[in-house]
Amino acid sequence: MSALAVAMAITALPTEAEAQSRERQERIERDRGERAAARQERRAQRAERQQRTERRAQGERRRDRLKATESTGNNRVDIAQARRERRENVRERRVDRRQDRRETQRRNRTYRAERNRTYVDPNRAERRAERIAERRRDARREARQDRRAERRQDARREARQDHRVDRRQDARREARQDRRAERRQDARREARQDRRVERRQDARREARQDPRAERRQDGRREAREDRRIRRDAYRDGRRAERRRDRWEDRRIRRDAYRDGYREARRDHRRARYYDGRRWRDYDRWDHRRWRDNRRYDWYRHRYHNRDIFRLGRYYAPYRDYRYRRLNIGVQIGNLFFGSRYWINDPWRYRLPNVYGPYRWVRYYDDVLLVDVYNGEVVDVIYDFFW
């Protein structure tokens, strides 16, 4: 194939495409015109139907008005009768006109048959003027009715448009409100989730960084519980127990006086005790020597017998008293080493037995060895109980 043929084929293709596109456009325009004409015809038919229905409605309304006026018995009845008479007169005139037309037609036919063209009807001009006037009246009446119908249609159309606009505005307003409500709900939900996440993170951070806070809270809670228990115990008769302890202390001192402990203190002659190895004096209590004895290994004994060292809550003798760490040589009040705080069986906890003025006493979770004569703390074991 030569280059000229190729060039002609290439130039022919766009011309065919352009022709096809033109035919398509013409077909589309033709279809649009036909659709527009069909729409106009349908609109004209609808307008005619509406006019008919409106005319019928007007006639029915007039009839109803006439009936209403007749039923009321006012002057309107006369007016309605006059209108009826007028309408009857108009009908009679129309009938007369038709008859006159027929007569004239018949006369014309006869005259034509006789070929007498010189005949002229003298009332023809009047009748023509009357017909023209009636046509004008009918045209005016129809124009008025058409204008009224158009106004009503326009009013209805405007009302419909207004309703549509109002509905659209209401729908848009509702949609905006719904979107705002959804946004608020989403924001609240996100805020709640963020707060929950923050709380969890804070709790984890606190649990990791500050485990002492829980201990402090537990301590505060226990302190509150202690205050409450002490308050209840005080109300329930702890004062009687204090009196009983003081009475017991006086009895102990009295018995000690009778047994000659006062003379022993004066002469510096104290009773002796046996710590498992040898006899020792009370004035020379060694708080380190007895711990070297394996018989008094209370720590290992506590490890194998935890339930024995788990006692109940400690009730301080004073209502607002708090725990204070006591050292050896401190003197405490007699209420702290009353009989209800004594450890009557020291061997149960693997503590050495004591005699004379010494007593093992519980002080919160600590154990004190107290001289009941002067209240001096001779020995102490911290965190003895659980």
Side-chain angles (χ1 to χ4, degrees):
M1 183 181 287
S2 63
L4 182 61
V6 173
M8 292 176 67
I10 292 169
T11 54
L13 289 172
T15 55
E16 291 179 358
E18 289 178 358
Q20 291 178 359
S21 63
R22 288 175 184 175
E23 289 178 358
R24 289 178 183 174
Q25 289 179 359
E26 290 177 356
R27 194 182 303 154
I28 291 166
E29 290 177 357
R30 196 182 304 116
D31 295 335
R32 289 179 181 175
E34 291 177 356
R35 291 175 183 173
R39 289 176 185 173
Q40 289 179 359
E41 289 179 359
R42 286 195 295 271
R43 289 177 183 174
Q45 291 177 1
R46 289 176 184 173
E48 289 178 358
R49 291 174 185 174
Q50 288 179 358
Q51 289 178 2
R52 290 175 186 174
T53 53
E54 288 178 358
R55 289 174 184 174
R56 292 175 184 175
Q58 287 178 1
E60 291 178 356
R61 290 173 185 172
R62 289 174 183 175
R63 293 173 187 174
D64 295 335
R65 289 175 184 174
L66 292 172
K67 290 179 182 179
T69 52
E70 289 177 357
S71 61
T72 52
N74 296 328
N75 294 325
R76 294 179 181 178
V77 176
D78 298 334
I79 295 167
Q81 290 178 359
R83 288 178 181 175
R84 289 178 183 176
E85 290 177 356
R86 290 174 185 173
R87 289 176 183 174
E88 289 177 358
N89 293 327
V90 171
R91 290 175 183 174
E92 289 177 357
R93 289 176 184 175
R94 288 179 182 175
V95 171
D96 295 335
R97 287 171 191 166
R98 290 175 184 173
Q99 289 178 358
D100 293 337
R101 287 176 186 173
R102 290 174 183 174
E103 288 178 357
T104 52
Q105 287 176 1
R106 185 170 53 79
R107 289 175 183 175
N108 290 327
R109 287 173 184 173
T110 56
Y111 291 147
R112 285 174 184 174
E114 294 176 357
R115 295 182 178 181
N116 189 6
R117 298 179 179 178
T118 60
Y119 178 76
V120 177
D121 190 1
N123 297 324
R124 186 175 180 181
E126 293 178 359
R127 285 195 295 273
R128 186 179 292 174
E130 289 178 357
R131 285 195 299 273
I132 291 167
E134 287 179 358
R135 289 175 184 173
R136 288 178 180 175
R137 291 191 199 115
D138 295 334
R140 289 174 184 174
R141 192 179 297 109
E142 290 178 357
R144 289 175 186 173
Q145 291 178 357
D146 294 336
R147 285 196 297 273
R148 290 176 183 175
E150 289 178 357
R151 289 174 185 173
R152 290 176 183 175
Q153 288 179 0
D154 295 335
R156 291 176 182 175
R157 193 179 296 106
E158 290 177 357
R160 290 175 184 173
Q161 291 178 357
D162 295 335
H163 288 308
R164 291 176 182 174
V165 172
D166 294 335
R167 290 175 184 173
R168 291 175 183 174
Q169 290 178 357
D170 294 335
R172 291 175 183 173
R173 194 179 296 107
E174 290 177 357
R176 290 175 186 173
Q177 292 177 357
D178 294 336
R179 286 195 296 272
R180 290 176 184 173
E182 290 178 357
R183 290 174 185 173
R184 291 175 183 173
Q185 290 178 358
D186 294 337
R188 291 175 183 173
R189 193 179 297 107
E190 290 177 357
R192 290 175 185 172
Q193 292 177 358
D194 294 336
R195 285 196 295 271
R196 290 176 182 173
V197 172
E198 290 177 358
R199 289 174 185 172
R200 292 175 182 173
Q201 291 177 356
D202 295 337
R204 292 175 182 173
R205 193 179 298 108
E206 290 177 358
R208 293 174 183 173
Q209 295 179 358
D210 193 7
R212 298 178 181 177
E214 294 181 358
R215 297 178 183 175
R216 293 174 184 173
Q217 291 179 357
D218 295 335
R220 293 173 183 173
R221 194 178 298 106
E222 289 178 358
R224 292 173 188 169
E225 189 68 19
D226 293 339
R227 288 196 298 271
R228 186 181 64 79
I229 292 170
R230 284 196 295 272
R231 184 174 63 252
D232 297 339
Y234 181 79
R235 292 176 181 176
D236 294 341
R238 293 298 181 186
R239 185 176 294 178
E241 293 183 0
R242 292 180 184 178
R243 292 176 182 175
R244 192 180 302 108
D245 293 336
R246 286 195 292 271
W247 179 81
E248 187 70 20
D249 295 336
R250 287 196 297 271
R251 185 181 63 79
I252 291 168
R253 291 191 186 92
R254 186 173 62 251
D255 295 339
Y257 180 79
R258 289 176 182 176
D259 295 339
Y261 283 115
R262 181 172 293 181
E263 294 178 357
R265 289 182 66 187
R266 288 176 182 177
D267 297 338
H268 298 285
R269 292 179 295 179
R270 287 291 186 91
R272 303 178 70 189
Y273 72 96
Y274 184 76
D275 62 352
R277 293 183 181 180
R278 59 184 177 177
W279 291 90
R280 294 183 180 277
D281 296 333
Y282 285 107
D283 290 337
R284 296 178 182 178
W285 177 267
D286 191 354
H287 63 276
R288 296 180 180 177
R289 188 65 61 83
W290 70 271
R291 288 182 173 82
D292 295 335
N293 193 347
R294 295 181 179 178
R295 293 178 59 194
Y296 307 120
D297 190 0
W298 61 269
Y299 188 80
R300 185 179 296 174
H301 183 65
R302 186 179 67 177
Y303 181 77
H304 294 288
N305 300 281
R306 294 177 179 271
D307 296 334
I308 298 173
F309 291 83
R310 187 176 288 108
L311 300 180
R313 188 181 296 277
Y314 179 83
Y315 299 101
Y318 297 102
R319 184 174 181 179
D320 296 332
Y321 184 79
R322 299 290 183 276
Y323 174 79
R324 296 178 181 86
R325 189 180 180 87
L326 302 179
N327 297 323
I328 297 173
V330 177
Q331 290 184 352
I332 59 176
N334 57 356
L335 295 178
F336 287 97
F337 52 85
S339 60
R340 64 193 181 102
Y341 298 113
W342 290 358
I343 298 174
N344 296 322
D345 189 5
W347 178 249
R348 185 181 181 186
Y349 303 102
R350 295 299 184 269
L351 295 173
N353 292 324
V354 293
Y355 306 95
Y358 297 125
R359 293 286 186 276
W360 286 108
V361 178
R362 180 190 175 188
Y363 176 73
Y364 287 93
D365 291 339
D366 302 339
V367 173
L368 306 178
L369 183 62
V370 183
D371 187 351
V372 296
Y373 287 150
N374 55 12
E376 183 182 359
V377 178
V378 180
D379 198 352
V380 61
I381 303 174
Y382 300 109
D383 297 330
F384 186 77
F385 298 104
W386 296 104

